[in-house]
Amino acid sequence: MNKTLHYLFDPLCGWCYGAGATVAELAAMPGVELRLLPSGLFSGEGARPMTHDFATYAWSNDQRIERLTGQRFSEQYRSDVLADQRQMFDSGPATVALTAVALTTPVREFEALKVIQQARYVEGRDVTSLDTLVAVLKAQGLDDAAQRLVQPDAALLDANRARVIEAQALLQQFGARGVPTFILEQNGQRQLLPSNAVFSNPKAFLAQVASA
């Protein structure tokens, strides 16, 4: 029986990055279609300046995620991203980049998310910059998506907006407060899965999806 797992996330969400290994296993699970839906949590009105206080808070939270999940947050990220107050904390550009991949090479969208996260959290690159994102996509051979991102047109921006609106509607429908959020759909029925299990007991979470 085929299932669709709607994965609601934000590319600048540290907890979503922390969940990456488990999400990769979900993406490879037979009979499960992983559908990525960016929530827009840290874009638009959710974007904010990178202040010293916010950077300190973010680094403390990131260290907690690293201890829990083993996902690396490098010193280069700390010095080149968090300490750079010229950067906004804004996931809008990365969200549009992922939509460009979804429109041109949809089977590689999760791969694109992983490399964008790697670029930020490990390599310390500014993924709020379209130039950086274009370079990241080109390095992965995602030339069509990169070209769409050079000058985002109305079709790309409309598709991006529609994905965010759908994600936000699902969050509201299920009373989910943030991301990552996982909604499993089968036989026309949808259920909210407990996201905390991704971190507290990932094997049990994977087993729940497999056996649902």
Side-chain angles (χ1 to χ4, degrees):
M1 181 187 303
N2 289 337
K3 311 163 191 175
T4 299
L5 186 64
H6 304 277
Y7 174 39
L8 282 59
F9 70 97
D10 189 284
L12 264 58
C13 163
W15 287 104
C16 298
Y17 171 59
T22 301
V23 177
E25 291 195 55
L26 291 166
M29 188 175 290
V32 177
E33 176 192 354
L34 182 68
R35 183 167 180 255
L36 274 63
L37 283 174
S39 68
L41 181 63
F42 300 123
S43 64
E45 294 182 358
R48 59 178 298 162
M50 184 68 80
T51 64
H52 173 75
D53 287 347
F54 180 70
T56 300
Y57 164 77
W59 181 249
S60 175
N61 202 45
D62 294 338
Q63 293 306 285
R64 180 184 171 202
I65 297 167
E66 182 172 318
R67 288 192 299 270
L68 188 62
T69 68
Q71 291 281 70
R72 181 184 172 207
F73 294 82
S74 72
E75 285 292 334
Q76 190 166 358
Y77 154 70
R78 186 182 188 184
S79 63
D80 293 357
V81 175
L82 294 183
D84 183 1
Q85 296 186 13
R86 295 168 300 177
Q87 290 187 36
M88 287 285 290
F89 185 76
D90 181 6
S91 64
T95 299
V96 174
L98 290 169
T99 298
V101 177
L103 291 178
T104 56
T105 320
V107 296
R108 297 187 64 189
E109 186 181 0
F110 178 60
E111 177 188 344
L113 172 60
K114 289 193 297 180
V115 297
I116 289 171
Q117 291 170 326
Q118 175 85 5
R120 177 178 176 83
Y121 295 117
V122 179
E123 299 167 13
R125 299 170 70 183
D126 178 10
V127 299
T128 69
S129 160
L130 284 183
D131 288 344
T132 300
L133 292 163
V134 168
V136 167
L137 295 182
K138 283 186 175 180
Q140 299 302 309
L142 293 165
D143 294 341
D144 290 343
Q147 187 59 43
R148 293 290 297 268
L149 194 59
V150 170
Q151 290 186 318
D153 56 25
L156 173 57
L157 296 177
D158 286 347
N160 187 69
R161 192 175 302 112
R163 283 171 20 116
V164 170
I165 288 172
E166 182 180 357
Q168 292 177 348
L170 284 172
L171 288 170
Q172 183 174 7
Q173 178 185 347
F174 287 92
R177 296 184 178 181
V179 292
T181 288
F182 299 88
I183 297 169
L184 184 63
E185 179 176 353
Q186 55 183 338
N187 298 326
Q189 301 295 316
R190 292 176 174 178
Q191 62 172 317
L192 178 68
L193 301 181
S195 297
N196 62 315
V198 172
F199 306 103
S200 62
N201 195 341
K203 288 184 179 179
F205 184 84
L206 291 166
Q208 181 181 6
V209 174
S211 64

